[in-house]
Amino acid sequence: MLDVIRSSLLAEYSVGQWMLVFYLCSFAGWCWEVSLYLVKERRFVNRGFLSGPILPIYGFGALIVLATCLPVKDSALAVALLGAFAATLLEYVTGFVMEHTFHVRYWDYSKRPLNLNGYVCLLSAVTWAVFSVAVVCIVHPAVHPYIRRIPTQIAGTMAAALSAFAVVDVVFAVRRALDLRALLESMERYARELEAVYGGLDTISDRVGDMIRSFAEQVDERREELSAGLQHITSARGRVVQLLAEKRISLEEGVRERFANFESILEDVADFLPDVSALRAEVEAAKERYDRQSEALRSVRARRMVRAKKVLRANPGVSSRWYGRALEQLERARDERQKQGTEE
């Protein structure tokens, strides 16, 4: 069976000519995606996993569609059904492998109706069906004579040159994707550490509040001052919680604000509480640990951010079930930079 398929394919084109078809369709797919974003976002986005102007999934999709559908090219319905099945299977496998390799989804159909694990959906299958009919019944008959006219040796040389560039591009693209994964891992780990710090500050806050209440019961004449200090603690924590819930600040900014609040609160209550030195030492230790963690993250982020930003720019719809919180933070920072650039 494989020998029959191979012989029929080689009867259509040489290996070099098939590779040129692959790069031609990959380039056409890139043009299509870029055009969509130009219309939708009104800005240029160099779409795809690679830096070069090709989207290999379209190239592989075209090859698979041609390989499976040329035998039934006289029936548009058969081409649509067979091409949609083959290309959708390719899209599913590609999405699955890329997500489990890089822990990031480069496309996500989870919010679209009749999707399968977010990798494919009914609309994408219909798009592949239309694509299959267009390639097999319209594009291929039109370009076939021109591809066949390219001498085999020249086609092989051109394909080899294009493949050399593509391989280099793939190496750098994989490195960028791994950098993004490593960056998201470090940010997610840092977020868990921040949550631990934040929880520790809640504990200190509760202890200060308990001390104020206890002392207020014994010292009636200072009750008003002590009540104001207690209200300060409650309102400061509530304000940070509200800002975090509204996503107006990040957890990192929230922790910084909590530290600033504690310095003010401890200064206020130091005059009328028996001893806050232990609490001061605890807050200072937590702040030192937070500063070390922040510096470590900044060091990692600086090294990897440049390459990771390219992935985010080229794939605005990325998502991650492993590092959703960290990815959301990166995307928010990206959107703020784009907004600032637009305003300027």
Side-chain angles (χ1 to χ4, degrees):
M1 181 64 179
L2 291 177
D3 290 336
V4 173
I5 295 175
R6 187 183 300 111
S7 60
S8 64
L9 291 178
L10 291 178
E12 195 76 22
Y13 296 126
S14 68
V15 173
Q17 289 169 339
W18 273 115
M19 292 179 69
L20 291 181
V21 171
F22 166 80
Y23 287 115
L24 178 62
C25 293
S26 297
F27 175 69
W30 178 86
C31 292
W32 167 254
E33 294 272 349
V34 168
S35 299
L36 286 178
Y37 269 85
L38 278 174
V39 173
K40 181 181 177 182
E41 305 288 339
R42 296 190 177 181
R43 62 189 177 91
F44 173 80
V45 176
N46 183 18
R47 292 284 292 127
F49 186 69
L50 305 179
S51 295
I54 60 171
L55 283 175
I57 192 168
Y58 282 91
F60 285 116
L63 294 187
I64 287 177
V65 166
L66 288 170
T68 55
C69 296
L70 281 178
V72 294
K73 61 183 178 182
D74 294 331
S75 171
L77 178 60
V79 169
L81 294 176
L82 193 57
F85 174 79
T88 299
L89 179 62
L90 169 69
E91 187 174 26
Y92 187 94
V93 172
T94 303
F96 178 87
V97 171
M98 290 186 70
E99 181 182 15
H100 286 76
T101 301
F102 303 117
H103 289 185
V104 170
R105 285 194 178 200
Y106 287 84
W107 63 88
D108 189 359
Y109 300 136
S110 298
K111 296 181 180 180
R112 293 185 179 178
L114 299 175
N115 72 85
L116 182 59
N117 299 325
Y119 300 123
V120 295
C121 67
L122 178 61
L123 180 60
S124 70
V126 171
T127 302
W128 281 118
V130 174
F131 172 82
S132 300
V133 173
V135 167
V136 175
C137 302
I138 302 173
V139 177
H140 179 256
V143 302
H144 179 266
Y146 300 100
I147 298 292
R148 291 281 293 182
R149 288 176 192 169
I150 301 175
T152 301
Q153 188 173 359
I154 294 178
T157 302
M158 293 172 63
L162 291 171
S163 297
F165 284 109
V167 167
V168 173
D169 200 347
V170 167
V171 170
F172 281 100
V174 169
R175 185 182 179 186
R176 287 193 299 269
L178 291 176
D179 276 335
L180 176 60
R181 172 178 169 172
L183 177 61
L184 293 174
E185 285 176 348
S186 64
M187 291 179 67
E188 199 72 23
R189 184 169 59 251
Y190 176 62
R192 290 194 296 269
E193 293 168 351
L194 276 181
E195 286 176 340
V197 172
Y198 193 87
L201 293 180
D202 277 344
T203 301
I204 295 173
S205 178
D206 292 337
R207 285 164 54 196
V208 173
D210 290 341
M211 288 176 65
I212 291 176
R213 290 189 192 91
S214 176
F215 198 65
E217 292 173 359
Q218 303 171 27
V219 188
D220 289 340
E221 64 272 17
R222 305 298 294 275
R223 185 180 297 275
E224 187 174 336
E225 291 181 67
L226 294 168
S227 297
L230 186 60
Q231 186 177 0
H232 186 181
I233 293 173
T234 305
S235 62
R237 177 161 55 181
R239 178 174 178 274
V240 173
V241 170
Q242 181 180 359
L243 291 173
L244 286 172
E246 295 173 354
K247 296 185 178 180
R248 291 166 59 187
I249 62 173
S250 66
L251 183 59
E252 185 176 3
E253 293 165 332
V255 170
R256 281 202 300 266
E257 186 161 340
R258 291 293 299 280
F259 277 123
N261 289 336
F262 266 116
E263 291 177 2
S264 173
I265 291 167
L266 291 177
E267 189 68 32
D268 291 342
V269 302
D271 293 336
F272 48 81
L273 286 184
D275 184 16
V276 295
S277 58
L279 286 171
R280 285 185 185 277
E282 197 169 340
V283 172
E284 284 300 319
K287 191 172 187 303
E288 288 178 6
R289 187 168 66 253
Y290 161 76
D291 289 338
R292 286 196 303 269
Q293 292 166 346
S294 297
E295 183 57 36
L297 177 66
R298 278 192 291 269
S299 176
V300 171
R301 187 183 292 176
R303 292 197 308 270
R304 294 180 173 135
M305 183 59 82
V306 174
R307 290 189 291 267
K309 283 194 299 187
K310 166 64 177 65
V311 180
L312 295 178
R313 281 197 305 268
N315 302 275
V318 294
S319 62
S320 175
R321 55 182 169 140
W322 284 274
Y323 313 120
R325 175 172 48 183
L327 186 59
E328 182 180 341
Q329 184 179 347
L330 279 182
E331 290 176 331
R332 187 163 60 244
R334 177 200 61 194
D335 294 340
E336 288 174 358
R337 284 194 300 270
Q338 289 177 351
K339 184 178 179 181
Q340 291 172 359
T342 302
E343 290 175 352
E344 292 173 0

